[in-house]
Amino acid sequence: MALRSVRWLQISLMLTVFGQKPLFASTEADHGRPSAVAKITLSPSHKELHRLRSKGFDVGGVNLKAGTADIYLSADRDSLSLLAEGIEVRTIKSLDTLAAPDSEYKTPAEVHEMLEDWARSYPNLAHLESLGKSLKGEEIWAIRISNDNAIRDAKPSILFNAEHHAREVMTVEVILDTAEYLLTRYGSDPRVTNWVDRNNIWLLPMVNPDGSNTVWSSNNMWRKNVRGNYGVDINRNYPYMWSGCGGSSSMPWAQDFHGASAGSEPETQTVMRLVERIKPVFNISYHSYSEIVIYPYGCDGRHAEDRAIVESIGKQIADLIPSETGQGSYTPGTAWELLYDVDGSDIDWMYHDHHVLAYCIEVSSDQSGFQPPFAQRQTTVESVRPAWQHLLDRLEQSGIRGVVRDIRGRPIPSALVSIQSLSNAGSSPASWTADRNGRFHAILAPGVYNLRISSGPLTSDQTIRVNDKVVTSDFQI
């Protein structure tokens, strides 16, 4: 049969599946309500993902080992466009977007109730805080897990957040499992006790409560926040490289619409304020699905300034998470290497503006999708535990944890700390800004480093040797 005949047969079948009612994705009235998901074949270069995303298609997830991607379709015309692009469509499955997720997943109200219960049950360890409000006035809650009575000295912070994208309900469960694991094992598990005594562990389970409410009430495939009748993709709204490399859309009805301006959304601003205040050493932002670990930067050809340490930790994390399909472990890389260009993401902004070693973990496989049966929850959260635990262990390993002080011993807030490797000739310096208490924490490979610390006209240079354990010291200028 000729290729043209095959394509017309495919088109005819698709029209039969979808019927005649127009449901095109690029109309505001129908935005965010796909009617089917198509599994397509990817070339090694992933050129299909770049092309489809740039044209407004909703790329849900990938299976890099199998060379496929899931494209969420909102109309017959979407299906025809896939064929017109010369893309091989393997399967098409219809969706019911009106059905709420499995009832065991958590609504915003249920998440808040769980956090309150933990704060009451573990008053010395679980510290509940409202970080701000969403566009519709929902509180955005975080819980800080730390034994404030154990160590009086400055503690490093680490941040884990979830559900920037509302339909990714399994990510909330990963954060809730992290909290429960730490709180219930404190005092009986020496490793957990050490983590909680020595660190501020911040857990933000639901960045996008308005979008979550939409998932539960009317559209289980809703992704963005609820601005207007179209929504803004919070994870394309951060200031660094906002709308900077074609890694998001200027069309309000697109799933990756970046908003009217950088940092325009209250949910984005809430995360930014927290990061600016606590200056976490590490961050994991949980998304779904694809079984990949993403690290900065998201725009084509860009790599992190201290690429070696960022990539090595990202690869270690990926190796620790087993694939639910039994095919090895997660795949690490930048967004542009693994998927397509991404601009305005939280991990890029955190890393660039605050030198947070920030990672995105896309949990679950394409077999599970966005909302697998809740029965899969335990397998998923247990598979991810080694990743966040590795970062808590890494806080005590090679690096420098310091406080910048003046000649009278007073902490100097916002001092600039520039660190250059003397062991690696030709390396560029990396910079950290001390927090409001003069503290900084730099994750480094073992080696010899020059530290240049400055505040206004004051400057100090010191040479530090870093071994396997973190170096803790005060630095005077």
Side-chain angles (χ1 to χ4, degrees):
M1 186 182 291
L3 177 61
R4 179 174 297 178
S5 299
V6 171
R7 287 199 174 168
W8 277 113
L9 176 60
Q10 289 175 314
I11 292 169
S12 177
L13 290 172
M14 289 175 186
L15 291 174
T16 300
V17 170
F18 293 127
Q20 300 301 315
K21 184 179 178 180
L23 294 169
F24 190 45
S26 60
T27 62
E28 292 188 21
D30 291 311
H31 161 70
R33 192 178 295 280
S35 57
V37 56
K39 190 173 292 293
I40 68 168
T41 299
L42 289 178
S43 63
S45 66
H46 303 169
K47 63 182 179 182
E48 298 84 2
L49 291 184
H50 293 266
R51 191 162 74 245
L52 292 174
R53 195 214 56 78
S54 68
K55 293 187 176 184
F57 279 87
D58 182 2
V59 180
V62 300
N63 184 330
L64 295 179
K65 295 180 176 68
T68 62
D70 292 346
I71 310 299
Y72 285 76
L73 308 173
S74 297
D76 300 339
R77 278 180 287 173
D78 278 357
S79 309
L80 302 181
S81 297
L82 284 178
L83 293 174
E85 293 288 338
I87 292 172
E88 178 188 342
V89 179
R90 294 192 177 187
T91 60
I92 297 178
K93 182 173 68 175
S94 62
L95 299 173
D96 178 8
T97 59
L98 295 176
D102 188 317
S103 62
E104 293 297 312
Y105 286 110
K106 307 301 183 296
T107 66
E110 289 168 337
V111 168
H112 180 214
E113 184 179 355
M114 291 183 71
L115 298 181
E116 283 191 320
D117 284 346
W118 283 326
R120 284 192 296 267
S121 300
Y122 303 93
N124 296 323
L125 304 178
H127 313 280
L128 184 61
E129 181 176 335
S130 173
L131 303 178
K133 292 188 177 182
S134 68
L135 192 67
K136 284 197 167 184
E138 289 274 357
E139 301 281 354
I140 299 175
W141 295 99
I143 193 165
R144 178 177 62 88
I145 297 179
S146 182
N147 182 358
D148 291 348
N149 296 321
I151 297 174
R152 295 288 184 179
D153 295 336
K155 298 181 182 183
S157 291
I158 187 168
L159 173 62
F160 304 121
N161 74 78
E163 210 176 38
H164 270 79
H165 296 146
R167 62 192 179 186
E168 299 168 10
V169 296
M170 185 63 82
T171 65
V172 177
E173 299 300 324
V174 176
I175 297 289
L176 297 177
D177 175 73
T178 304
E180 185 175 38
Y181 188 98
L182 295 170
L183 293 171
T184 59
R185 287 168 173 78
Y186 181 84
S188 60
D189 184 329
R191 193 177 177 207
V192 170
T193 303
N194 183 65
W195 291 332
V196 175
D197 282 349
R198 298 187 62 83
N199 303 292
N200 287 308
I201 305 167
W202 287 86
L203 304 173
L204 203 176
M206 193 171 279
V207 174
N208 185 7
D210 292 348
S212 179
N213 280 328
T214 301
V215 164
W216 285 99
S217 65
S218 58
N219 182 355
N220 61 34
M221 285 292 106
W222 189 265
R223 168 182 163 99
K224 301 182 283 183
N225 75 357
V226 296
R227 182 170 295 282
N229 63 348
Y230 48 85
V232 171
D233 185 344
I234 301 169
N235 204 38
R236 301 295 185 274
N237 188 239
Y238 289 86
Y240 178 68
M241 289 298 292
W242 178 83
S243 186
C245 67
S248 58
S249 178
S250 59
M251 300 183 296
W253 53 86
Q255 291 285 17
D256 58 351
F257 174 51
H258 50 54
S261 60
S264 61
E265 304 310 296
E267 298 88 356
T268 313
Q269 295 163 16
T270 294
V271 176
M272 290 173 63
R273 285 195 301 269
L274 177 64
V275 170
E276 289 162 354
R277 171 160 62 100
I278 70 173
K279 290 194 178 293
V281 181
F282 288 112
N283 167 80
I284 295 178
S285 297
Y286 290 104
H287 289 256
S288 70
Y289 55 95
S290 289
E291 298 194 327
I292 58 179
V293 174
I294 300 172
Y295 40 74
Y297 286 116
C299 292
D300 191 358
R302 291 175 179 255
H303 292 282
E305 284 76 10
D306 46 352
R307 178 180 177 182
I309 196 73
V310 169
E311 292 191 1
S312 66
I313 294 174
K315 291 173 182 176
Q316 290 163 11
I317 292 172
D319 286 343
L320 290 169
I321 311 175
S323 168
E324 70 181 40
T325 64
Q327 295 180 300
S329 57
Y330 280 30
T331 303
T334 62
W336 60 268
E337 292 169 320
L338 299 179
L339 302 171
Y340 40 72
D341 286 353
V342 170
D343 52 31
S345 73
D346 68 326
I347 65 169
D348 281 10
W349 173 80
M350 288 186 202
Y351 175 75
H352 181 268
D353 281 32
H354 297 282
H355 213 119
V356 180
L357 298 191
Y359 299 90
C360 165
I361 299 182
E362 296 267 1
V363 302
S364 300
S365 73
D366 62 328
Q367 294 181 10
S368 296
F370 290 121
Q371 295 163 15
F374 192 78
Q376 293 183 216
R377 187 255 193 197
Q378 198 60 26
T379 299
T380 300
V381 299
E382 288 181 3
S383 71
V384 178
R385 285 175 186 170
W388 60 260
Q389 292 172 358
H390 178 73
L391 293 189
L392 284 166
D393 286 337
R394 188 62 181 82
L395 287 168
E396 298 296 325
Q397 297 167 9
S398 58
I400 301 173
R401 182 185 301 165
V403 179
V404 181
R405 301 184 184 277
D406 63 18
I407 57 173
R408 297 183 181 179
R410 297 172 298 189
I412 301 178
S414 302
L416 181 64
V417 182
S418 179
I419 303 177
Q420 183 169 22
S421 172
L422 300 182
S423 312
N424 184 10
S427 65
S428 300
S431 297
W432 286 258
T433 302
D435 67 13
R436 56 187 177 183
N437 297 306
R439 301 174 298 192
F440 71 95
H441 188 127
I443 298 293
L444 305 166
V448 181
Y449 294 86
N450 179 71
L451 273 69
R452 170 160 291 184
I453 303 174
S454 57
S455 177
L458 304 175
T459 301
S460 173
D461 285 285
Q462 301 181 45
T463 299
I464 299 291
R465 177 176 294 277
V466 174
N467 296 313
D468 292 337
K469 297 294 184 183
V470 65
V471 175
T472 302
S473 182
D474 284 4
F475 299 90
Q476 188 180 85
I477 58 174

